[in-house]
Amino acid sequence: MALDFWYNEAEKKEQDEKWKQDFKNIGGDVYSFFIDTAIEKGYENREGQWDMSFEITDAMKNRQHIVVEAGVGIGKTFAYIVPLLYYHKRYKKPIVIATSTIALQEQLAADIKIIEDIIGYYPDIVLAKGQNHFLCKYRCDAYFLCEKDETIRKIYAEIEKGGCQKADWDIYIPDNIWNQINVKEFNPVFCRQNCVHKDYCFYYSLRHELLTTNGIILCNQDLLTINLRKRHNFSKEIITDRFQFVVIDEAHNLEGKVRNSYTTEVSYISLQRTVEQARKIARGLGNTIDKKLKRYYKHLDSVFDSLNLQVKDQDRIAKKENREIERYYLDRNIPALQGLKDCVHDIFLEVSMQFGVDDSYRNKDYDAELEALELQEEFWTAMLKEECEDIFWMTLNGKGKKGIVLANCPKDVNKLTERLFFSDADFTTILTSATITSGVGEDYEEGYKYFIANTNFPMEKGFIAEPKYSPFNYDEHAMIYYTEDMPHPSHERKRFIERGIDEIVRILEISKGKALILFTAKSDMLEVYEGLKERVPYRVLMQNGSASQSDTIAEFKKDVNSVLLGTGTYWEGISVEGIALSNLIIFKLPFPVPEPIIDYKTSICQDGLMEVLVPEMIIKLKQGIGRLIRSEKDFGIVSIIDSRVGEKSKAKYKRNIWEALPIKNRTSDFDEIEEFYNLLNSGKKEDVCLQKRNR
């Protein structure tokens, strides 16, 4: 036994020495790539990029988790892909890179191919999009078999020519049709046993490849989170378990992705579907639970009637305060709730007992239906707990009580994030984004404080890198204009909207359009749109729920002088290079609206404003301002209409905002911002530099 222990220790020491020597060589390769090879190939020497890459290499060598903010233009994808490729060249083990958007997944695939050509090494790349993006030929055949409409038959004829995802066909496929023919709930056992198309099904092959590849997997954060949950629950994983390194790009979204993964949602319709399946099982077993179901529906209606009253009350207050509601608060004190929970328990007990003793039904698989009943009982049980461990809320997906969606998630998502991404000794996590810090003073680690709190990033076994600032010359190419003496955007909303429109008209005249205006609320956006479109000679576009974001952005780019109004994903989801977006207007500081999750986070802090609300706002503000300068040649101005950042403002977070923003040039003088833009637009950058020195 002692001898075995000695041999094991000696072998481990030998492996550790080899690992360190390998990474010494990898470090040399990384250094040579950035200092010599890349420059010889015509790429710029970006100090922040290779500094970031060296830090990641060291973290990989030491098996340390690392978090690093990399400003726009650093080239963060190259910074982490280069050491990972050299690692892969030596070890041939799979690597996982998880992002938030398909656009970034596709960009990563393109970047990896560029680096492969430079290095001369070509591992497999597996691009793992969500299942709903892919065609299910089994569902497709079933759907079109019943369709006689000529237009729909033309779609089928095109699909039959070959292809695997919506973008593969030139013909327009409406969403309502695509949702009937795409992959919905992938079940490999069902596919293997029932589908005649499995041998040439792209998605079926993709799922097999994800489990067997030794290459680089590009997936979204949702898929990776689900996979790691399966790993911790000892379930069959979706992705190979042989990876040693995981990259989380756009890491500022990680908390939300983990929260979404642990969120349970129920609606009147979904609950009804569950108990009707129970009725069907019972009847099939020669039993009836109709009386129990009658009692169930009485309680269900009573509960959802109470919820509907809560929604109406909150809508009435929100309308009076001119604000929008994304998540509704939930008062769990509902008299009928205990009766509803007891009914579900009785139904589950009776159906499961009958199913268990009936020999003729033992071969039928009703596990999913019984599990749905059990989960429903767990949901009501959690809702009834006096000391609730979860956060509950409501959203709307239609009118009336049948449009209410009830949701809950665990309170301590940060602990779950730590468990999934930082507690497994088998892999190391690399986290990066352009917007992680929320205010950088003398101690840069303070800027990461909010991110660390949200993810429980392990300080003791992790490395917090100094933020890598954008190489773009913001001081020469950009300036922020801020207003003074504007009405308060919430307390005096009507006056703020009116004066805000006047200010926007003035600002748009500087650039003759060419502007993106970002809003925090759709109601503000709609009012400004109506007030603006008749007052400016430029085409005014607005984010439209019925039009795709890519189509709207394409229209904006095409009409160079147009003005685009957006909210939500427009704060971080778009990239428009060139003069078409040379004027960015922030209508209001993007503070999060009051809602149950934010309220819980503030409730466990000493200072909810400075510890939660301000960091949330600053990160989103940085994302929004990041839309302006997307390349070295870009230039422009940012205008913040909200006077809470002004010199006269007494807001205690004002300094935090200015410290966090990458553009340090700022003025409240309208003539100065106009002169700045005009000089840049005329190409007289040397005059801008001279003007700066003289100030």
Side-chain angles (χ1 to χ4, degrees):
M1 182 74 120
L3 196 59
D4 286 346
F5 176 78
W6 186 87
Y7 276 122
N8 287 339
E9 284 296 300
E11 186 179 343
K12 184 178 181 301
K13 186 177 179 181
E14 185 179 339
Q15 288 173 351
D16 286 345
E17 288 299 320
K18 183 179 182 305
W19 179 269
K20 288 176 183 177
Q21 183 58 48
D22 282 344
F23 269 92
K24 185 178 179 181
N25 295 331
I26 289 169
D29 291 335
V30 172
Y31 180 88
S32 179
F33 179 92
F34 285 108
I35 303 303
D36 299 320
T37 311
I39 295 171
E40 289 171 7
K41 295 285 183 181
Y43 291 93
E44 286 186 34
N45 182 1
R46 296 177 180 174
E47 183 181 348
Q49 185 183 60
W50 49 258
D51 189 30
M52 175 179 171
S53 198
F54 298 158
E55 287 175 337
I56 288 172
T57 306
D58 282 343
M60 290 169 69
K61 179 185 75 174
N62 298 323
R63 295 183 172 91
Q64 277 184 301
H65 306 296
I66 179 172
V67 55
V68 51
E69 179 176 88
V72 177
I74 282 291
K76 60 182 168 64
T77 53
F78 270 54
Y80 63 72
I81 288 169
V82 170
L84 286 169
L85 270 180
Y86 281 119
Y87 154 81
H88 194 277
K89 193 175 182 180
R90 277 175 168 75
Y91 283 86
K92 303 295 188 295
K93 287 194 174 182
I95 294 162
V96 178
I97 303 175
T99 75
S100 291
T101 63
I102 291 174
L104 184 53
Q105 283 179 261
E106 292 172 344
Q107 182 59 51
L108 279 169
D111 287 345
I112 292 171
K113 285 175 181 174
I114 291 170
I115 301 169
E116 285 177 343
D117 287 338
I118 296 172
I119 293 175
Y121 176 66
Y122 301 88
D124 291 334
I125 300 172
V126 183
L127 188 58
K129 297 179 184 178
Q131 62 181 9
N132 60 308
H133 291 280
F134 298 98
L135 177 74
C136 173
K137 196 66 172 61
Y138 183 91
R139 294 183 75 216
C140 180
D141 288 348
Y143 175 78
F144 284 109
L145 184 68
C146 306
E147 287 293 338
K148 305 299 181 186
D149 183 273
E150 185 60 30
T151 304
I152 294 178
R153 298 303 298 175
K154 282 181 182 177
I155 294 173
Y156 183 68
E158 285 299 312
I159 289 173
E160 282 291 277
K161 292 176 183 177
C164 63
Q165 52 185 321
K166 202 174 180 181
D168 291 340
W169 297 286
D170 293 331
I171 195 166
Y172 172 68
I173 306 175
D175 288 344
N176 64 318
I177 293 178
W178 180 252
N179 291 334
Q180 299 296 320
I181 64 175
N182 62 354
V183 180
K184 198 72 174 176
E185 295 176 2
F186 179 73
N187 184 330
V189 176
F190 178 87
C191 294
R192 189 166 55 249
Q193 294 176 351
N194 300 285
C195 186
V196 296
H197 306 293
K198 66 180 183 297
D199 292 337
Y200 51 88
C201 173
F202 182 86
Y203 189 72
Y204 186 81
S205 300
L206 175 63
R207 288 295 291 263
H208 176 72
E209 192 175 8
L210 287 173
L211 286 167
T212 57
T213 186
N214 286 316
I216 299 172
I217 296 171
L218 305 179
C219 64
N220 59 39
Q221 293 176 20
D222 303 276
L223 177 65
L224 178 59
T225 302
I226 291 167
N227 187 80
L228 295 179
R229 286 187 64 186
K230 287 178 176 290
R231 173 179 290 199
H232 280 271
N233 294 333
F234 303 102
S235 302
K236 184 175 175 59
E237 294 182 48
I238 302 168
I239 298 172
T240 173
D241 61 359
R242 300 188 308 282
F243 57 84
Q244 290 181 303
F245 295 104
V246 165
V247 177
I248 309 297
D249 204 335
E250 297 176 318
H252 62 276
N253 288 316
L254 184 60
E255 179 204 2
K257 297 297 184 182
V258 174
R259 187 181 301 283
N260 290 345
S261 176
Y262 282 94
T263 294
T264 302
E265 292 185 341
V266 299
S267 67
Y268 190 99
I269 303 298
S270 70
L271 297 168
Q272 182 182 42
R273 192 182 301 123
T274 298
V275 294
E276 288 303 326
Q277 284 293 329
R279 190 201 300 268
K280 186 178 176 182
I281 295 170
R283 284 179 177 172
L285 295 168
N287 194 10
T288 178
I289 56 170
D290 289 356
K291 286 184 179 179
K292 285 184 171 61
L293 284 179
K294 187 176 181 181
R295 188 160 53 94
Y296 170 87
Y297 277 118
K298 179 183 175 183
H299 289 299
L300 184 69
D301 284 325
S302 182
V303 167
F304 272 81
D305 284 338
S306 295
L307 297 176
N308 197 31
L309 287 174
Q310 291 184 32
V311 166
K312 287 179 178 179
D313 285 343
Q314 291 176 56
D315 277 339
R316 187 171 58 253
I317 295 167
K319 188 176 181 180
K320 190 182 295 183
E321 297 175 353
N322 285 304
R323 60 179 176 82
E324 296 169 4
I325 299 177
E326 185 177 338
R327 294 189 181 105
Y328 290 81
Y329 292 92
L330 174 65
D331 180 355
R332 295 181 291 117
N333 185 24
I334 301 172
L337 193 57
Q338 183 66 53
L340 181 61
K341 181 256 178 186
D342 292 341
C343 279
V344 177
H345 178 77
D346 291 345
I347 292 167
F348 172 76
L349 202 61
E350 181 154 342
V351 174
S352 57
M353 286 178 65
Q354 287 294 322
F355 176 62
V357 299
D358 194 295
D359 288 336
S360 65
Y361 273 81
R362 280 184 179 170
N363 293 327
K364 293 200 174 183
D365 183 8
Y366 287 125
D367 286 350
E369 288 83 353
L370 292 173
E371 186 182 358
L373 275 175
E374 197 170 16
L375 290 173
Q376 187 181 152
E377 183 181 352
E378 288 175 6
F379 190 91
W380 304 132
T381 301
M383 213 167 143
L384 283 161
K385 282 184 180 177
E386 189 173 338
E387 292 295 323
C388 195
E389 299 169 0
D390 296 338
I391 304 170
F392 282 85
W393 68 89
M394 297 179 283
T395 58
L396 297 183
N397 190 28
K399 294 181 178 180
K401 66 184 181 185
K402 293 190 177 181
I404 294 171
V405 179
L406 264 174
N408 76 329
C409 73
K411 287 179 176 176
D412 299 328
V413 169
N414 55 347
K415 292 177 182 177
L416 297 171
T417 305
E418 179 185 20
R419 179 171 176 258
L420 295 179
F421 289 91
F422 308 125
S423 67
D424 195 328
D426 291 336
F427 71 87
T428 300
T429 305
I430 299 161
L431 304 112
T432 185
S433 169
T435 51
I436 297 180
T437 61
S438 52
V440 181
E442 292 180 7
D443 181 5
Y444 69 82
E445 290 190 7
E446 276 293 305
Y448 286 103
K449 196 172 180 181
Y450 186 60
F451 179 82
I452 290 166
N454 283 337
T455 60
N456 265 21
F457 181 83
M459 302 280 285
E460 69 287 348
K461 56 180 180 179
F463 179 72
I464 299 172
E466 188 170 350
K468 306 298 178 280
Y469 300 109
S470 172
F472 297 155
N473 197 336
Y474 286 117
D475 284 347
E476 291 185 12
H477 288 196
M479 181 182 278
I480 297 177
Y481 165 68
Y482 58 92
T483 60
E484 299 277 18
D485 302 318
M486 286 288 288
H488 193 282
S490 300
H491 304 157
E492 303 173 272
R493 180 179 178 274
K494 187 176 179 181
R495 285 186 62 228
F496 175 76
I497 295 283
E498 290 171 354
R499 291 204 32 206
I501 293 170
D502 291 339
E503 193 68 13
I504 288 171
V505 171
R506 281 211 308 160
I507 294 166
L508 292 178
E509 181 58 26
I510 293 174
S511 58
K512 305 295 186 264
K514 307 177 185 67
L516 170 66
I517 309 176
L518 292 173
F519 296 86
T520 57
K522 288 180 183 176
S523 56
D524 289 352
M525 181 174 70
L526 287 167
E527 287 189 48
V528 172
Y529 174 77
E530 290 300 324
L532 199 62
K533 64 181 182 180
E534 303 300 330
R535 292 185 58 183
V536 295
Y538 329 109
R539 185 181 180 194
V540 181
L541 301 166
M542 184 174 63
Q543 179 181 356
N544 189 337
S546 62
S548 73
Q549 180 173 298
S550 58
D551 289 344
T552 306
I553 299 301
E555 285 294 308
F556 176 59
K557 289 180 180 178
K558 186 178 177 182
D559 187 342
V560 176
N561 293 327
S562 62
V563 178
L564 175 60
L565 282 62
T567 185
T569 57
Y570 280 60
W571 284 81
E572 64 172 304
I574 64 173
S575 182
V576 178
E577 294 184 15
I579 198 167
L581 201 173
S582 53
N583 187 348
L584 179 78
I585 300 173
I586 306 291
F587 191 64
K588 191 161 65 174
L589 292 178
F591 278 103
V593 297
E595 51 97 0
I597 292 171
I598 287 293
D599 282 6
Y600 170 71
K601 291 173 76 171
T602 57
S603 72
I604 57 174
C605 298
Q606 288 186 338
D607 186 344
L609 173 66
M610 297 304 292
E611 293 179 48
V612 176
L613 301 182
V614 169
E616 286 274 350
M617 177 270 289
I618 287 176
I619 289 169
K620 190 163 184 176
L621 183 61
K622 286 170 66 177
Q623 289 164 359
I625 289 177
R627 301 312 95 209
L628 181 69
I629 305 293
R630 306 302 297 172
S631 74
E632 290 177 346
K633 294 180 181 179
D634 280 353
F635 68 86
I637 55 175
V638 175
S639 299
I640 302 177
I641 307 295
D642 193 329
S643 292
R644 285 176 288 181
V645 296
E647 295 299 326
K648 298 176 184 178
S649 168
K650 294 180 180 178
K652 62 179 180 178
Y653 48 78
K654 185 173 62 178
R655 180 171 170 268
N656 300 61
I657 294 173
W658 292 124
E659 281 182 347
L661 299 184
I663 302 171
K664 303 304 178 186
N665 240 353
R666 66 181 189 261
T667 182
S668 60
D669 186 326
F670 188 84
D671 292 336
E672 188 175 342
I673 196 73
E674 184 175 27
E675 184 181 359
F676 181 86
Y677 185 91
N678 289 336
L679 283 170
L680 285 174
N681 196 30
S682 65
K684 297 179 180 177
K685 291 179 184 175
E686 65 280 0
D687 291 346
V688 174
C689 298
L690 182 62
Q691 184 191 68
K692 263 199 74 187
R693 286 194 293 271
N694 291 337
R695 280 208 305 270

